[in-house]
Structure formats: structure tokens, C-alpha cells
Amino acid sequence: MVRYAKFQLPYDAKAIQAELITVKKNWQPHFNTYHFEGSWTVLPLRSPNGDHKNITPDLMGDGEYLDTEHMQNFPSVKKLLSDLQCEQMSVRFLNLQAGAIIKPHRDNELAFEKGEARLHFPILTNPEVEFYIEDDRIILAEGDCWYINANLPHHVSNNGTTDRIHLVVDCKVNSWLKNIINTAAEISFKDDTDNEQLLLLIKELRLQNTQTSNNIANELELQVK
């Protein structure tokens, strides 16, 4: 299983920064307040039915993903997306402001092997941002392109004095994206051999159905892909 991968896809981060300056409003608080502290805001560029107020990455009902009214302000983003030769779902700017943290969490089922891939394009960042996938800190610099296995535990702290803004694109996996990720210049794999034993242990703990056993099972589930 791929944990994360850094691949080559040139884009103009400086041009996107300039476009961001023109958009002062319309940022919305992230919906999952349980998983962060401080200010974490979202600007949706592509969402279910093109609803500019819908910041959730999940496809709701029978709607399809369409550009929101904000996309017209970002021609450099449209150029980047045109270079992605795969189906795109949610497209958002995520702004983790100075001093904010995203707590350890998992985005269930959102993984390359499960048919969906979350791509991160750092637009504005600083050296004091700490991004961890499990116990590995990875440095996501401006202009980089990363696949992040969001199904694994991950957390972020912005310890700097400036905002950290990523363009986050959720894609459907196809042969093009498989090739991009599998041939990435930097890639990390996770050994899946322990998962079966963990799943058996979790099942036994759930059968006990006590507060302690369920708490332990919850912790173990964070280790399962």
C-alpha cells in the first residue's frame, strides 16, 4: 500500500498565490471542528452540483461534481487541473492559519488502492509547518505535488507565522494516475501483513463490548489501512 508519493507535475504556484490575493472573502470554516484547533478554512472550487457553499469532499445524493463560481477567479488552477488526465471530484483550497493544528485522524476509504486519491499542491507554506503521515514527517514545499493516503492517520501543525494554503484535489484512480504514483521520485509503502491479525484482535475486543475494550479497538483501528 502506498502511504505517500511525491511526483512531477509542473504548475505555477506563484501565479496561484497572486490569484488568491484577489479573493479576500468566501472562505468558510472547515466542517469537521472535532479534528482541529485554531482556524482552518475552505474555499471550494469544485463541489457536488457546483454549490459554492458546499465544502464537503463527499458526493452527496445523485449530484455530480461541477466547478463553483469561484473557479473563474483561478485560471492557473484550471491549467493545473487540465494537466491531470483523470476524473476530478472535489477541488478545494484549504487554509491552515498560523498557530492552527489538525488533530490525528483518518479519512476512511480515501486511498489510492480503494479507487480514490487525494492530491496536495502546496501553494503557500512555511518551514514551521509539520505534516505527519503516521510517524513520518514529510516536507510539502511550494510547487510540489504529493499523493497522500488520507486513509492512514495523519496530522498537521502550522507552527509558523504565516498561513499554509494547499490546493487539494480528490481524483478517481485510472491507469494514468497509477503510472504517475507508481513511478514517483519519492514514494513510501506500508506493509499490510499485520492487518489481518489486527482485524482479528479488533473483532475480539468488540465482542467483549466493554468501554475499555471498545476504546482499545478504536485505537487499533487507526492502525488499519
Side-chain angles (χ1 to χ4, degrees):
M1 175 176 57
V2 179
R3 299 167 70 229
Y4 54 82
K6 179 182 177 182
F7 57 93
Q8 295 294 321
L9 186 73
Y11 65 98
D12 194 340
K14 295 297 183 185
I16 299 175
Q17 288 177 16
E19 292 163 2
L20 277 168
I21 292 174
T22 68
V23 182
K24 299 292 186 181
K25 301 178 181 179
N26 301 314
W27 291 84
Q28 302 176 58
H30 198 283
F31 61 93
N32 200 340
T33 55
Y34 177 78
H35 283 149
F36 72 92
E37 295 178 1
S39 179
W40 189 21
T41 55
V42 185
L43 183 68
L45 303 186
R46 188 172 176 82
S47 67
N49 296 316
D51 183 356
H52 68 280
K53 295 182 180 180
N54 188 346
I55 63 173
T56 61
D58 300 313
L59 183 59
M60 305 299 290
D62 297 324
E64 61 177 324
Y65 280 94
L66 300 171
D67 291 349
T68 73
E69 63 184 38
H70 303 312
M71 184 68 86
Q72 63 185 342
N73 298 314
F74 296 95
S76 298
V77 171
K78 294 180 73 172
K79 171 62 172 63
L80 185 162
L81 296 175
S82 70
D83 291 334
L84 296 176
Q85 300 173 35
C86 56
E87 181 181 347
Q88 297 141 33
M89 300 178 293
S90 170
V91 179
R92 304 170 290 160
F93 283 115
L94 295 180
N95 184 354
L96 187 68
Q97 296 182 7
I101 64 171
I102 303 171
K103 302 174 185 179
H105 70 286
R106 298 169 60 212
D107 298 285
N108 288 331
E109 303 301 311
L110 186 49
F112 171 67
E113 292 79 9
K114 295 178 180 290
E116 296 182 1
R118 175 159 291 173
L119 308 182
H120 278 248
F121 301 91
I123 305 303
L124 188 68
T125 189
N126 66 75
E128 303 304 314
V129 172
E130 297 184 358
F131 194 122
Y132 284 87
I133 298 292
E134 298 185 305
D135 295 325
D136 284 3
R137 181 184 179 187
I138 57 176
I139 307 299
L140 291 81
E142 293 174 11
D144 281 353
C145 312
W146 288 83
Y147 158 70
I148 302 297
N149 187 332
N151 195 46
L152 295 175
H154 56 285
H155 63 279
V156 191
S157 299
N158 185 355
N159 302 315
T161 58
T162 59
D163 293 352
R164 186 223 70 166
I165 300 178
H166 282 192
L167 179 69
V168 178
V169 183
D170 292 345
C171 301
K172 291 286 189 182
V173 175
N174 62 4
S175 58
W176 177 84
L177 191 55
K178 287 180 181 178
N179 181 64
I180 288 289
I181 292 176
N182 286 326
T183 60
E186 182 178 340
I187 190 166
S188 173
F189 294 96
K190 182 179 179 69
D191 187 355
D192 298 336
T193 55
D194 294 332
N195 275 350
E196 289 188 11
Q197 291 181 339
L198 276 175
L199 289 171
L200 288 173
L201 179 55
I202 290 167
K203 182 178 180 181
E204 292 298 324
L205 289 166
R206 294 297 187 200
L207 288 173
Q208 295 178 30
N209 198 28
T210 66
Q211 181 175 353
T212 299
S213 66
N214 284 327
N215 287 340
I216 295 172
N218 290 339
E219 292 298 320
L220 291 176
E221 283 177 345
L222 291 176
Q223 304 176 35
V224 180
K225 71 171 184 177

